[in-house]
Amino acid sequence: MTNNRTNPKVDEFLSKAKKWKEEYEKLRAIVLDCELTEEFKWKHPCYTLNNKNIVLIHGFKEYCALLFHKGALLQDAHGILIQQTENVQAARQIRFTNVQEIDEMETILKAYIHEAIEVEKAGLEVDLKKNTEYKIPEELQNKFDEIPALKTAFEALTPGRQRAYILHFSQAKQSKTRESRVEKYVQKILDGKGLKD
Protein backbone atom coordinates (compact mmCIF):
# COMPACT_ATOMS: atom_id res chain seq x y z
CA MET A 1 0.00 0.00 0.00
CA THR A 2 1.71 3.12 -1.15
CA ASN A 3 0.20 6.50 -1.55
CA ASN A 4 1.64 9.97 -1.58
CA ARG A 5 1.29 10.20 2.17
CA THR A 6 3.73 7.44 3.01
CA ASN A 7 7.22 8.33 4.05
CA PRO A 8 10.21 6.36 2.70
CA LYS A 9 11.86 6.48 6.12
CA VAL A 10 8.89 4.65 7.58
CA ASP A 11 9.07 2.09 4.75
CA GLU A 12 12.67 1.52 5.76
CA PHE A 13 11.75 1.30 9.47
CA LEU A 14 9.13 -1.35 8.66
CA SER A 15 11.44 -3.32 6.43
CA LYS A 16 13.93 -3.55 9.30
CA ALA A 17 11.40 -4.28 12.02
CA LYS A 18 12.18 -7.66 13.55
CA LYS A 19 9.29 -7.59 15.96
CA TRP A 20 5.74 -6.25 15.55
CA LYS A 21 6.17 -5.86 11.77
CA GLU A 22 2.64 -6.97 10.94
CA GLU A 23 1.22 -4.91 13.81
CA TYR A 24 3.11 -1.79 12.70
CA GLU A 25 1.85 -2.20 9.14
CA LYS A 26 -1.73 -2.55 10.29
CA LEU A 27 -1.46 0.48 12.62
CA ARG A 28 0.14 2.46 9.81
CA ALA A 29 -2.72 1.65 7.45
CA ILE A 30 -5.28 2.70 10.07
CA VAL A 31 -3.54 5.98 10.84
CA LEU A 32 -2.95 6.86 7.18
CA ASP A 33 -6.66 6.33 6.62
CA CYS A 34 -7.22 9.25 8.97
CA GLU A 35 -5.58 11.79 6.63
CA LEU A 36 -2.50 12.48 8.74
CA THR A 37 0.98 13.23 7.41
CA GLU A 38 3.45 10.43 7.93
CA GLU A 39 6.81 11.52 9.33
CA PHE A 40 9.72 9.78 10.99
CA LYS A 41 10.68 11.30 14.36
CA TRP A 42 12.56 9.92 17.35
CA LYS A 43 13.30 6.87 15.17
CA HIS A 44 9.57 6.03 14.93
CA PRO A 45 6.67 6.56 12.53
CA CYS A 46 4.96 9.73 13.70
CA TYR A 47 1.77 11.21 12.30
CA THR A 48 1.16 14.91 12.22
CA LEU A 49 -1.41 17.53 11.34
CA ASN A 50 -0.01 20.91 10.29
CA ASN A 51 3.32 19.89 11.82
CA LYS A 52 1.76 19.07 15.19
CA ASN A 53 2.34 15.55 16.49
CA ILE A 54 -0.87 13.57 16.83
CA VAL A 55 0.10 9.95 17.19
CA LEU A 56 3.24 7.82 17.10
CA ILE A 57 3.71 4.09 16.55
CA HIS A 58 6.25 2.42 18.78
CA GLY A 59 7.17 -0.97 20.08
CA PHE A 60 8.64 -2.43 23.23
CA LYS A 61 9.60 -5.90 24.31
CA GLU A 62 6.17 -6.79 25.65
CA TYR A 63 3.88 -4.76 23.40
CA CYS A 64 3.60 -2.31 20.57
CA ALA A 65 1.53 0.82 20.94
CA LEU A 66 -0.12 3.85 19.46
CA LEU A 67 1.04 6.83 21.46
CA PHE A 68 -1.25 9.85 21.49
CA HIS A 69 0.80 12.95 22.19
CA LYS A 70 -2.10 14.68 23.92
CA GLY A 71 -3.83 11.52 25.05
CA ALA A 72 -4.59 13.03 28.44
CA LEU A 73 -7.14 15.26 26.69
CA LEU A 74 -9.06 12.43 25.02
CA GLN A 75 -12.37 11.26 26.47
CA ASP A 76 -11.19 7.62 26.45
CA ALA A 77 -14.73 6.27 26.19
CA HIS A 78 -13.42 2.69 26.15
CA GLY A 79 -10.97 3.08 29.02
CA ILE A 80 -8.06 1.83 26.92
CA LEU A 81 -5.55 4.65 27.25
CA ILE A 82 -2.51 3.93 29.38
CA GLN A 83 -0.23 6.41 31.10
CA GLN A 84 3.23 4.93 30.58
CA THR A 85 4.69 6.15 33.87
CA GLU A 86 3.40 8.58 36.46
CA ASN A 87 5.79 11.23 35.17
CA VAL A 88 4.26 11.24 31.72
CA GLN A 89 1.90 14.17 31.72
CA ALA A 90 0.32 14.47 28.29
CA ALA A 91 0.89 11.31 26.29
CA ARG A 92 -1.18 8.12 26.53
CA GLN A 93 -0.77 4.74 24.85
CA ILE A 94 -3.06 2.08 23.50
CA ARG A 95 -1.13 -1.18 23.68
CA PHE A 96 -1.33 -4.29 21.54
CA THR A 97 0.27 -7.69 21.66
CA ASN A 98 -0.99 -9.06 18.35
CA VAL A 99 -2.44 -7.99 15.05
CA GLN A 100 -5.88 -9.49 15.81
CA GLU A 101 -6.35 -7.00 18.65
CA ILE A 102 -5.61 -4.18 16.23
CA ASP A 103 -8.05 -5.57 13.65
CA GLU A 104 -10.80 -5.90 16.21
CA MET A 105 -10.25 -2.36 17.46
CA GLU A 106 -9.87 -0.64 14.11
CA THR A 107 -13.12 1.36 14.39
CA ILE A 108 -12.35 2.42 17.96
CA LEU A 109 -8.77 3.36 17.04
CA LYS A 110 -9.99 5.55 14.19
CA ALA A 111 -12.46 7.24 16.52
CA TYR A 112 -9.63 7.99 18.98
CA ILE A 113 -7.38 9.29 16.21
CA HIS A 114 -10.15 11.54 14.89
CA GLU A 115 -10.76 12.82 18.41
CA ALA A 116 -7.02 13.51 18.78
CA ILE A 117 -7.15 15.46 15.50
CA GLU A 118 -10.10 17.52 16.80
CA VAL A 119 -8.23 18.22 20.04
CA GLU A 120 -5.30 19.54 18.00
CA LYS A 121 -7.53 21.60 15.70
CA ALA A 122 -9.19 23.15 18.73
CA GLY A 123 -5.73 24.13 19.98
CA LEU A 124 -6.23 22.40 23.32
CA GLU A 125 -3.17 22.04 25.52
CA VAL A 126 -2.49 19.67 28.36
CA ASP A 127 -2.23 21.61 31.57
CA LEU A 128 1.24 20.53 32.64
CA LYS A 129 2.04 20.35 36.31
CA LYS A 130 3.93 23.29 37.67
CA ASN A 131 7.20 22.45 39.34
CA THR A 132 5.87 23.37 42.74
CA GLU A 133 3.71 20.27 42.46
CA TYR A 134 6.81 18.10 42.37
CA LYS A 135 7.95 17.06 45.77
CA ILE A 136 11.55 17.92 46.57
CA PRO A 137 13.19 14.72 47.85
CA GLU A 138 14.19 14.90 51.48
CA GLU A 139 17.84 14.22 50.62
CA LEU A 140 17.93 17.28 48.37
CA GLN A 141 16.15 19.38 51.00
CA ASN A 142 18.77 18.35 53.58
CA LYS A 143 21.49 19.44 51.18
CA PHE A 144 19.72 22.80 50.74
CA ASP A 145 19.70 23.26 54.51
CA GLU A 146 23.36 22.40 54.65
CA ILE A 147 24.38 24.61 51.69
CA PRO A 148 21.98 27.57 51.32
CA ALA A 149 23.77 28.61 48.11
CA LEU A 150 22.69 25.32 46.58
CA LYS A 151 19.02 26.15 47.10
CA THR A 152 19.52 29.56 45.49
CA ALA A 153 21.34 27.99 42.55
CA PHE A 154 18.68 25.31 42.17
CA GLU A 155 15.85 27.83 42.18
CA ALA A 156 17.66 29.82 39.50
CA LEU A 157 17.60 26.83 37.12
CA THR A 158 14.94 26.62 34.43
CA PRO A 159 11.80 24.71 35.45
CA GLY A 160 12.73 21.89 33.05
CA ARG A 161 16.16 21.49 34.62
CA GLN A 162 14.73 21.56 38.14
CA ARG A 163 12.22 18.92 37.15
CA ALA A 164 14.88 16.70 35.56
CA TYR A 165 16.93 16.80 38.76
CA ILE A 166 13.95 16.16 41.02
CA LEU A 167 12.86 13.17 38.92
CA HIS A 168 16.41 11.82 38.72
CA PHE A 169 16.87 12.04 42.48
CA SER A 170 13.40 10.72 43.32
CA GLN A 171 13.65 7.71 41.07
CA ALA A 172 16.22 6.05 43.31
CA LYS A 173 14.42 3.64 45.62
CA GLN A 174 16.81 3.91 48.55
CA SER A 175 17.64 6.99 50.53
CA LYS A 176 21.34 6.17 50.33
CA THR A 177 21.23 6.14 46.53
CA ARG A 178 19.24 9.39 46.48
CA GLU A 179 21.85 10.94 48.76
CA SER A 180 24.76 9.92 46.54
CA ARG A 181 22.90 11.17 43.47
CA VAL A 182 22.35 14.54 45.10
CA GLU A 183 25.99 14.62 46.18
CA LYS A 184 27.14 13.86 42.66
CA TYR A 185 25.29 16.84 41.18
CA VAL A 186 25.90 19.50 43.85
CA GLN A 187 28.69 21.14 41.86
CA LYS A 188 26.70 21.03 38.63
CA ILE A 189 23.75 22.75 40.27
CA LEU A 190 26.04 25.36 41.81
CA ASP A 191 27.46 25.95 38.33
CA GLY A 192 23.93 26.59 37.06
CA LYS A 193 23.98 23.50 34.86
CA GLY A 194 21.25 20.97 34.16
CA LEU A 195 21.45 17.23 34.52
CA LYS A 196 22.32 16.75 30.85
CA ASP A 197 24.43 19.87 30.28
Side-chain angles (χ1 to χ4, degrees), residues 144-157:
F144 285 167
D145 298 342
E146 193 186 314
I147 314 170
L150 184 66
K151 187 175 198 297
T152 314
F154 186 81
E155 285 168 356
L157 293 171

Side-chain angles (χ1 to χ4, degrees), residues 1 6 15 18 49 63 90 97 104 108 112-113 117 128 137 141 147 150 178 190 196:
M1 171 194 130
T6 59
S15 72
K18 293 190 172 49
L49 176 79
Y63 61 87
T97 52
E104 285 163 18
I108 296 174
Y112 275 58
I113 294 165
I117 292 171
L128 299 176
Q141 192 53 60
I147 314 170
L150 184 66
R178 288 196 293 272
L190 289 170
K196 305 259 191 298

Side-chain angles (χ1 to χ4, degrees), residues 151-169:
K151 187 175 198 297
T152 314
F154 186 81
E155 285 168 356
L157 293 171
T158 60
R161 288 194 170 105
Q162 290 183 25
R163 193 164 62 236
Y165 274 125
I166 291 172
L167 293 177
H168 179 66
F169 298 150

